[in-house]
Amino acid sequence: MNVLILTPSLTQHDAVSNEVVLQHKLLSAKGLGVSLYAEKVKSFSHGALCTRGKAVALLQDPACLVIYHHSTGWQEGEILLAQVQGKLVIRYHGITPAEFFPHEPATQREIQQGNEQTRRLAEHHRLQLVICNSHFIQQEWPSGGMGKYPVEVLAPFHSLEAFPSLAFQKIEDEIHVLFVGRFTPHKGQSNLLRLMIRYRERYGSLFHLHLVGKGSGKKTFLYALYQEIFANSLSAHVHIHYDVEAKILASLYQRSHFFISFSEHEGFGLPLLEAQYHGLAVLALYRGAVKEALGAAALGGETLDLDRFCAAIRILSTHQKMREEVVQAGHKNFEIYKMKRLQEKFLALLGVNDDNARQ
Amino acid sequence: MSFTSIEEEIEKEAKKEVTVPPSVSEDPCTCSYYLHYLFLCWRPILVTFCKRCKS
């Protein structure tokens, strides 16, 4: 059995690209012939990448299973999908609403195109299965498609258990807060600065804030963020880690005490799980799939009550036992998302077992 | 598991009227930060180094 995985782009440090590679690894290990096709490939190499010609040949093979990763508008992808003769599975990662990119007209156009494509994809005559990142994302799938094919939920694949193992100790006389996410307004980094200011007003001291991520476009937001940091005398306590490698990220997870997310939209929020896995107390604003991902370990709120978040940092940093309780609940939640479980569910959804894999 | 007791503690703490004069009003030195900022954002800004960095 052949499998073709289609995705608009493959790049480093990207959740969708990471999942594509992990799906390839899993299905190949099952003895399937797996090929990958991406229109844009940036700083990325993979032995299974195929040409457009080979992708078209596979699309026209009725025995080939096609997995299409849908996270944005992709015109070329839709042209390719018109040629599918076999079984089509859509992996739906969700599309961030255009309103979160008010100053990026190109991104807005891409998003609009993506939403229009979602409606057309839902009606695709070869579509057999849709796998969404979360229940939150599942609700976004056009209701017209429901009933014609299963619309299932499976959390994103991750490489957490393969994270570099480093023996860093937490510094207990300082408070280190971490956030990992793209440098865009809706990820809430500005509100994290507001939280610091409020914390200083309340307690007369500051915690360290580590912001990890990559920017998009002209870095206008990053520029504005730095202005805010200088204007509020926060520069000795805010640490921006731009596009860092896995080892640095792992060390930041290990040295930090809290992970705080003020993101306005998350299709799942893998960094939340990463934080739970690394033993951080996670506090979050419940937006998108955040509360769902955090499960029983969710501690935060539906509204951005800065006093409440300040109080949470204060209480959990002074009461070690309470923080430990939150951390343990996080570990327990992570068990649900262990890769082995996700892989088993993925194979079951695709109907891949040892018998049919080798046919 | 339930976080009821933790949430109650947080709630109590949040309601406290605590406003103290900031002990961290000024950063010790932001020079290296300015350079970092220039590197990342690639924006021309006026850089004034502190005495320590100047020397």
Side-chain angles (χ1 to χ4, degrees), chain A residues 202-204 226 235 238 308, chain B residues 11 13 23 27 30 33 37 40:
Chain A
R202 284 181 68 97
Y203 302 114
Y226 270 106
S235 64
V238 182
R308 204 168 170 275
Chain B
E11 213 57 59
E13 176 69 24
S23 62
D27 282 338
T30 58
Y33 215 80
Y37 159 76
L40 278 177

Side-chain angles (χ1 to χ4, degrees), chain B residues 28-39:
Chain B
C29 166
T30 58
C31 298
S32 61
Y33 215 80
Y34 270 108
L35 292 174
H36 186 199
Y37 159 76
L38 267 174
F39 173 71

Side-chain angles (χ1 to χ4, degrees), chain A residues 200-206 219-220 222-223 226-227 229-230 233-240 242 296-299 307-308 311-312 314-316 322 325-326 329, chain B residues 1-3 5-7 9-30 33-34 36-37 39-45:
Chain A
R200 183 169 56 189
E201 284 166 3
R202 284 181 68 97
Y203 302 114
S205 62
L206 280 169
K219 295 182 182 160
T220 321
L222 198 58
Y223 172 76
Y226 270 106
Q227 301 282 31
I229 294 165
F230 293 135
S233 299
L234 297 171
S235 64
H237 288 83
V238 182
H239 314 277
I240 291 184
Y242 193 83
L299 195 60
D307 280 329
R308 204 168 170 275
R314 188 69 167 183
I315 290 291
L316 296 178
M322 286 192 188
E325 210 174 310
V326 177
Chain B
M1 80 166 275
S2 150
F3 286 140
S5 60
I6 298 174
E7 279 173 341
E9 283 297 318
I10 291 171
E11 213 57 59
K12 250 194 281 172
E13 176 69 24
K15 281 179 185 154
K16 270 190 204 166
E17 275 298 320
V18 272
T19 310
V20 290
S23 62
V24 192
S25 54
E26 289 298 328
D27 282 338
C29 166
T30 58
Y33 215 80
Y34 270 108
H36 186 199
Y37 159 76
F39 173 71
L40 278 177
C41 300
W42 207 239
R43 298 265 179 156
I45 54 158

Side-chain angles (χ1 to χ4, degrees), chain A residues 22-210:
Chain A
L22 293 171
Q23 283 180 355
H24 169 270
K25 198 175 165 188
L26 174 68
L27 296 171
S28 301
K30 284 280 160 195
L32 302 171
V34 190
S35 302
L36 309 178
Y37 177 74
E39 189 182 350
K40 292 177 199 158
V41 181
K42 197 179 162 194
S43 328
F44 196 92
S45 67
H46 197 287
L49 271 172
C50 71
T51 61
R52 191 182 188 281
K54 189 181 174 192
V56 170
L58 285 166
L59 288 165
Q60 289 169 351
D61 173 5
C64 179
L65 166 70
V66 179
I67 303 173
Y68 180 91
H69 284 260
H70 184 44
S71 58
T72 185
W74 186 27
Q75 216 174 354
E76 163 81 353
E78 216 173 349
I79 295 167
L80 290 170
L81 284 191
Q83 302 179 62
V84 177
Q85 294 298 313
K87 189 174 160 183
L88 172 64
V89 172
I90 292 178
R91 173 58 159 154
Y92 185 45
H93 299 270
I95 297 174
T96 309
E99 70 203 56
F100 291 127
F101 303 93
H103 307 297
E104 294 180 43
T107 311
Q108 282 190 331
R109 271 196 302 276
E110 213 172 81
I111 290 169
Q112 193 189 348
Q113 202 185 59
N115 289 329
E116 287 162 8
Q117 277 183 354
T118 307
R119 286 189 282 276
R120 289 193 293 271
L121 288 174
E123 300 295 329
H124 197 289
H125 67 295
R126 293 279 173 193
L127 184 55
Q128 305 273 311
L129 170 68
V130 178
I131 310 173
C132 305
N133 267 7
S134 60
H135 289 96
F136 170 73
I137 292 298
Q138 187 188 34
Q139 285 166 13
E140 282 182 6
W141 190 257
S143 55
M146 305 280 191
K148 291 183 195 160
Y149 42 78
V151 180
E152 300 285 346
V153 173
L154 178 69
F157 279 13
H158 56 78
S159 314
L160 269 177
E161 287 132 293
F163 243 72
S165 175
L166 306 164
F168 280 115
Q169 294 292 315
K170 294 190 195 305
I171 307 163
E172 286 307 332
D173 54 353
E174 290 175 354
I175 303 169
H176 288 259
V177 172
L178 176 67
F179 175 70
V180 180
R182 265 200 305 161
F183 286 105
T184 54
H186 77 273
K187 289 288 179 182
Q189 290 96 340
S190 281
N191 281 332
L192 286 169
L193 300 184
R194 286 179 53 213
L195 178 71
M196 290 183 86
I197 296 163
R198 187 67 190 128
Y199 191 89
R200 183 169 56 189
E201 284 166 3
R202 284 181 68 97
Y203 302 114
S205 62
L206 280 169
F207 53 81
H208 288 268
L209 175 66
H210 298 268

